[in-house]
């Protein structure tokens, strides 16, 4: 097995897992730009029901629709997280009352028990591990676009396993925020993918 | 009598110049006849005609300059205005960037004048209004439009022996069509030197069709979409990029064309290699005068070639500072297009949005040329090669540079605001929120 970091997108049966297709390349490009991490530039799409996920250092799960894992998906998800894996879950609807948010939270409750998915403080290590984000999670331009709940969610939630985040959960729609051709990043004044670097670095080093 | 022939203009200018006692003197003479008609609520509200001429003298003693204008051209008046310019020059502080006027120049013969535009009648203007109002009323649509035609001339002489003359004509038309239920809006703009190229019926039909088609728009989620931008939409964003084609603001670190260490982006690839932008005063579709206010000859000039910045404009002072030849500012912008018609662009689109125009554009970040604004007057959702339904207007946040990096297809060119801009299909155009405005 190569020692390169690779980005895994989880494919699950119930909803639309295949969103924000350019986001992974954009984030991988930022890792190359800012860190010395060795990176596989190809996103891997792995079905949650497959045991291949246990080889992934980092998984991403997203969508707009229903999250209702099959028995095997549920087992794999729990085993992966409890064994020290890291999942970044991002709500493509950026809507706490939306279908993805409600069904994903229900799914987490089913797997890890009620109230395990909790807000993390805005001075959590993840906000300073590489770049500094003094006010917690950076706002996305998606949050106030007149769609979804039209709120700025000034927190992230997580399921913590043995003092370390195992599932990081966002209603901020970072996926859509970072869904653009990485080659255009050079024209932006501020690279809005920097927080993604923090998430990956936390997953790999904490 | 606002339009003077070349010889009449020369006679007046030479007379005026004969009174000059300054070190250098430059005199401009211009005049125009212009007619218009305005209509709203499906009825003509105003029609007008104006005719004017003006002579402007700039006298300089050393680096001190003064300017005076007048619109009477008898000998006494000409002497009076020259004296006034000289008095003002003596009172003025020195201009450290003063450049002496140019000597005689060679200019190409411009093709900016069309007899038929100069001969537009009030009856013709009324016909144009009628071409909008009658079909609009028949479709339960209300028209509001404006037609303006003008014929004019500019002439220039200076104490170094330069003389330049140009005659030009222009016609500008815009109409907004609103459906009477208040839910649909369409719009077109047309501009030409030669009024014979203007088809008022086609323009009105396009706007009416857009208005009717855009009724009861649906809201769809903002985000990044493939867009087909009509030239009227992209022109407003591109114009802001054209303004950056200025060497001085680039060299001084004030523009998008600035590069680190006081350099500029000449030679740098900044957009898709299919992007070619040049200016050409002799292009028959968008002709302009062949000389500018400095008396410089304007020639065909390439600005962006295969995506690479080819030239930036150097005014005479900045060229001297930098030890290069002056490059006159473009008088028009011509972006090379492709063969695809709008219909073909729509047909080849799996999922996208057709944008008629953008408005209320404001700068967000000058250094990255990021702009914000709104769509307007016909925004449609396209799926599997067909316009499916109208969508509510969006706010966008986008930079023409990023837009031209996300180029998918170039379509046919259309004249808009004196420029030639192609239809464009662009990936990932950023719509950030919804607008309730119709």
């Amino acid at each position: 097995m190569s020692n390169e970091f690779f980005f895994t997108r989880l494919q699950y049966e119930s909803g639309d897992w295949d969103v924000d297709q350019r986001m992974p390349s954009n984030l991988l490009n930022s890792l190359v730009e800012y860190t010395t991490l060795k990176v596989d530039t190809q996103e891997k799409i792995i079905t949650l029901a497959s045991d291949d996920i246990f080889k992934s250092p980092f998984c991403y799960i997203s969508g707009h629709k229903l999250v209702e894992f099959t028995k095997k998906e549920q087992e794999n998800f729990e085993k992966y997280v409890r064994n020290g894996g890291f999942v970044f879950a991002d709500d493509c609807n950026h809507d706490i009352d939306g279908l993805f948010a409600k069904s994903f939270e229900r799914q987490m409750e089913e797997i890890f028990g009620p109230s395990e998915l909790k807000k993390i403080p805005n001075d959590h290590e993840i906000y300073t591990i590489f770049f500094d984000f003094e006010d917690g999670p950076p706002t996305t331009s998606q949050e106030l676009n007149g769609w979804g709940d039209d709120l700025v969610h000034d927190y992230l939630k997580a399921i913590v396993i043995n003092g370390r985040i195992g599932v990081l959960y966002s209603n901020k729609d970072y996926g859509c925020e970072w869904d653009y051709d990485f080659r255009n990043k050079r024209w932006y004044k501020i690279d809005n993918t920097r927080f993604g670097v923090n998430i990956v670095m936390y997953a790999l080093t904490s | 009598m606002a339009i003077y022939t070349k010889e009449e203009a020369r006679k007046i200018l030479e007379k005026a110049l004969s009174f000059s006692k300054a070190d250098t003197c430059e005199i401009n003479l211009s005049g125009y006849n212009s007619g218009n008609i305005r209509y709203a609520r499906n009825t003509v509200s105003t029609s007008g005609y104006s005719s004017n001429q003006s002579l402007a003298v700039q006298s300089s003693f050393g680096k001190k300059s003064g300017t005076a204008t007048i619109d009477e051209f008898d000998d006494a008046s000409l002497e009076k205005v020259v004296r006034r310019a000289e008095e003002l020059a003596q009172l003025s502080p020195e201009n450290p960037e003063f450049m002496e006027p140019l000597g005689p120049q060679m200019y190409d013969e411009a093709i900016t004048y069309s007899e038929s535009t100069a001969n537009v009648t009030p009856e013709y203007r009324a016909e144009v209004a009628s071409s909008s109002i009658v079909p609009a009323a028949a479709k339960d649509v209300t028209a509001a439009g404006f037609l303006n035609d003008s014929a004019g001339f500019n002439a220039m002489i200076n104490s170094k022996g330069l003389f330049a003359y140009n005659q030009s004509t222009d016609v500008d038309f815009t109409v907004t069509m609103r459906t009477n239920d208040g839910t649909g809006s369409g719009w077109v703009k047309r501009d030409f030197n030669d009024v014979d190229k203007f088809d008022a019926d086609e323009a009105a039909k396009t706007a009416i069709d857009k208005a009717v088609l855009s009724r009861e728009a649906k809201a769809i989620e903002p985000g990044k979409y493939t867009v087909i931008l009509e030239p009227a939409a992209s022109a407003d964003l591109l114009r802001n990029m054209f303004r950056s084609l200025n060497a001085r603001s680039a060299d001084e670190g004030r523009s998008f064309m600035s590069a680190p260490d006081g350099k500029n982006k000449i030679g740098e690839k900044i957009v898709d290699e299919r992007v070619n932008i040049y200016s050409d005063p002799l292009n028959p579709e968008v002709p302009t005068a062949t000389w500018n206010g400095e008396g410089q000859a304007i020639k065909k000039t390439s600005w962006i070639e295969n995506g690479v910045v080819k030239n930036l404009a150097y005014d005479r002072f900045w060229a001297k500072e930098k030890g290069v030849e002056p490059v006159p500012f473009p008088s028009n912008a011509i972006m090379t297009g492709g063969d695809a018609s709008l219909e073909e662009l729509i047909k080849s689109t799996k999922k996208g949005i057709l944008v008629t125009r953008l408005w209320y554009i404001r700068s967000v970040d000058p250094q990255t040329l990021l702009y914000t604004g709104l769509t307007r007057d016909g925004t449609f959702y396209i799926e599997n090669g067909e316009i499916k339904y109208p969508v509510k207007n969006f706010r966008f946040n986008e930079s023409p540079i990023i837009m031209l990096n996300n180029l998918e297809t170039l379509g046919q060119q259309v004249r808009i605001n004196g420029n030639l801009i192609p239809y464009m299909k662009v990936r990932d155009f950023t719509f950030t929120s919804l607008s309730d405005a119709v």
Side-chain angles (χ1 to χ4, degrees):
Chain A
M1 201 169 134
S2 110
N3 63 348
E4 287 177 337
F5 169 82
F6 59 92
F7 183 105
T8 300
R9 181 195 291 269
L10 295 178
Q11 181 177 351
Y12 54 100
E13 283 187 27
S14 62
D16 62 338
W17 53 271
D18 187 18
V19 292
D20 299 330
Q21 290 158 24
R22 285 147 306 188
M23 184 278 258
S25 323
N26 200 359
L27 182 48
L28 289 165
N29 167 262
S30 295
L31 291 170
V32 171
E33 291 275 319
Y34 300 117
T35 75
T36 53
L37 198 62
K38 287 193 173 67
V39 167
D40 178 348
T41 54
Q42 277 306 104
E43 164 196 21
K44 287 190 168 41
I45 298 171
I46 294 176
T47 54
L48 179 50
S50 130
D51 288 349
D52 285 349
I53 80 157
F54 298 111
K55 297 175 190 154
S56 299
F58 171 96
C59 293
Y60 165 70
I61 189 167
S62 184
H64 301 88
K65 296 178 182 167
L66 182 70
V67 181
E68 202 169 75
F69 293 156
T70 63
K71 191 164 172 297
K72 179 66 173 154
E73 285 176 340
Q74 194 164 322
E75 282 169 10
N76 275 6
F77 193 94
E78 180 171 10
K79 187 174 164 190
Y80 175 76
V81 172
R82 290 208 187 277
N83 286 355
F86 183 95
V87 179
F88 173 42
D90 187 48
D91 168 11
C92 224
N93 297 320
H94 53 90
D95 181 356
I96 51 176
D97 299 318
L99 178 56
F100 180 90
K102 280 188 139 63
S103 59
F104 179 80
E105 288 169 32
R106 193 169 56 227
Q107 186 66 73
M108 291 304 101
E109 192 169 315
E110 218 171 292
I111 298 174
F112 298 102
S115 348
E116 280 304 304
L117 187 64
K118 286 194 280 278
K119 286 185 185 179
I120 57 170
N122 284 351
D123 58 0
H124 189 282
E125 183 191 2
I126 200 166
Y127 298 121
T128 51
I129 195 157
F130 197 85
F131 292 108
D132 284 350
F133 298 94
E134 285 175 14
D135 303 322
T139 306
T140 68
S141 59
Q142 313 296 320
E143 290 176 279
L144 294 180
N145 72 356
W147 218 253
D149 56 24
D150 225 18
L151 298 169
V152 171
H153 313 91
D154 57 356
Y155 57 85
L156 294 180
K157 287 181 170 182
I159 287 171
V160 176
I161 307 286
N162 301 328
R164 175 181 174 275
I165 292 177
V167 180
L168 181 70
Y169 170 57
S170 135
N171 295 112
K172 299 183 76 73
D173 203 356
Y174 284 116
C176 285
E177 186 75 355
W178 303 334
D179 181 37
Y180 57 90
D181 190 319
F182 69 86
R183 285 167 299 191
N184 289 330
K185 209 166 1 191
R186 62 197 162 128
W187 306 118
Y188 286 98
K189 198 174 195 90
I190 295 172
D191 177 358
N192 62 2
T193 65
R194 292 172 314 138
F195 183 56
V197 176
N198 278 39
I199 297 174
V200 173
M201 293 319 264
Y202 178 89
L204 298 184
T205 61
S206 291
Chain B
M1 175 51 204
I3 309 283
Y4 294 100
T5 64
K6 191 172 187 173
E7 288 321 306
E8 289 167 333
R10 187 195 295 270
K11 208 167 141 201
I12 293 168
L13 287 167
E14 281 176 347
K15 187 75 199 173
L17 189 62
S18 71
F19 295 115
S20 172
K21 295 175 180 171
D23 297 343
T24 57
C25 181
E26 179 184 282
I27 307 174
N28 278 277
L29 178 63
S30 62
Y32 67 86
N33 294 325
S34 174
N36 63 68
I37 192 161
R38 186 186 297 277
Y39 49 101
R41 301 176 66 190
N42 279 351
T43 185
V44 172
S45 56
T46 56
S47 70
Y49 185 80
S50 64
S51 177
N52 203 356
Q53 59 280 315
S54 167
L55 180 134
V57 180
Q58 180 174 307
S59 297
S60 304
F61 295 95
K63 295 186 168 195
K64 301 190 299 181
S65 301
T67 306
T69 61
I70 200 158
D71 65 355
E72 296 170 294
F73 307 145
D74 58 274
D75 290 7
S77 298
L78 292 174
E79 184 171 17
K80 183 172 67 178
V81 71
V82 171
R83 291 290 157 269
R84 198 157 26 130
E86 289 171 355
E87 284 165 24
L88 288 166
Q90 297 288 22
L91 293 169
S92 295
E94 284 203 341
N95 171 9
E97 299 183 5
F98 176 80
M99 297 292 290
E100 289 217 339
L102 288 167
Q105 305 288 308
M106 292 291 291
Y107 303 123
D108 295 320
E109 197 60 42
I111 49 170
T112 41
Y113 183 80
S114 133
E115 198 64 42
S116 48
T117 308
N119 293 334
V120 164
T121 59
E123 289 77 10
Y124 171 84
R125 293 181 204 117
E127 275 304 315
V128 170
S130 172
S131 309
S132 288
I133 294 167
V134 172
K139 287 260 172 90
D140 209 19
V141 167
T142 300
F146 185 65
L147 173 77
N148 187 82
D149 54 83
S150 68
F153 81 99
N154 286 290
M156 178 178 177
I157 199 168
N158 72 27
S159 51
K160 300 264 183 177
L162 178 144
F163 176 77
Y165 177 88
N166 189 62
Q167 253 191 313
S168 63
T169 51
D170 279 297
V171 56
D172 273 280
F173 172 77
T174 174
V175 65
T176 303
M177 300 282 188
R178 311 276 291 191
T179 60
N180 292 341
D181 65 1
T183 69
S185 183
W187 171 92
V188 297
K189 183 177 193 311
R190 299 281 184 266
D191 62 288
F192 301 99
N193 293 68
D194 180 355
V195 73
D196 290 344
K197 293 182 177 177
F198 173 46
D199 182 342
D201 295 328
E202 171 278 331
K205 185 180 181 312
T206 302
I208 292 167
D209 289 351
K210 277 188 191 276
V212 171
L213 200 59
S214 68
R215 288 175 53 200
E216 292 170 0
K218 289 185 197 178
I220 64 170
E221 182 174 10
K224 291 186 189 293
Y225 286 92
T226 293
V227 291
I228 296 171
L229 296 171
E230 295 204 7
S234 50
D236 283 342
L237 279 173
L238 293 171
R239 193 179 50 232
N240 293 311
M241 186 178 86
F242 301 149
R243 279 203 205 115
S244 298
L245 296 169
N246 171 349
R248 184 173 187 171
S249 61
D251 293 342
E252 291 180 341
R254 293 185 283 120
S255 94
F256 170 76
M257 291 292 176
S258 303
D261 308 323
K263 295 190 170 65
N264 61 42
K265 290 186 176 164
I266 291 181
E268 202 175 305
K269 182 173 178 293
I270 59 165
V271 289
D272 187 286
E273 56 276 0
R274 287 167 295 171
V275 175
N276 289 287
I277 295 169
Y278 64 99
S279 54
D280 180 6
L282 296 178
N283 181 294
E285 293 306 316
V286 286
T288 71
T290 52
W291 51 276
N292 65 13
E294 293 265 296
Q296 295 166 293
I298 305 176
K299 301 281 182 191
K300 184 173 178 176
T301 309
S302 175
W303 303 96
I304 293 178
E305 214 168 273
N306 304 328
V308 176
V309 182
K310 197 77 185 159
N311 272 302
L312 294 175
Y314 284 82
D315 63 36
R316 291 174 56 221
F317 169 76
W318 198 246
K320 183 174 68 100
E321 288 292 293
K322 293 287 172 181
V324 298
E325 282 300 303
V327 180
F329 281 80
S331 52
N332 58 14
I334 300 164
M335 184 170 165
T336 313
D339 303 328
S341 66
L342 176 58
E343 290 67 31
E344 286 164 334
L345 287 174
I346 292 169
K347 209 168 281 181
S348 65
T349 303
K350 197 165 173 295
K351 182 183 160 193
I353 289 171
L354 172 65
V355 180
T356 298
R357 78 186 271 220
L358 305 171
W359 78 297
Y360 218 112
I361 299 174
R362 295 291 179 268
S363 172
V364 176
D365 177 22
Q367 284 184 314
T368 55
L369 282 186
L370 184 64
Y371 290 93
T372 186
L374 295 140
T375 65
R376 194 180 186 181
D377 298 325
T379 311
F380 303 100
Y381 182 68
I382 302 164
E383 201 171 52
N384 300 327
E386 284 176 4
I387 289 181
K388 283 286 183 227
Y389 49 79
V391 292
K392 269 195 174 179
N393 285 311
F394 289 111
R395 171 165 292 282
F396 70 86
N397 266 39
E398 198 48 88
S399 150
I401 302 295
I402 292 174
M403 186 173 104
L404 293 180
N405 272 285
N406 290 338
L407 191 64
E408 195 144 302
T409 320
L410 286 170
Q412 292 162 349
Q413 293 172 312
V414 175
R415 174 172 169 150
I416 183 84
N417 300 331
N419 303 309
L420 273 185
I421 307 287
Y423 284 97
M424 263 181 258
K425 195 197 286 193
V426 171
R427 290 183 302 273
D428 290 350
F429 194 87
T430 312
F431 293 120
T432 50
S433 59
L434 286 164
S435 156
D436 281 329
V438 170

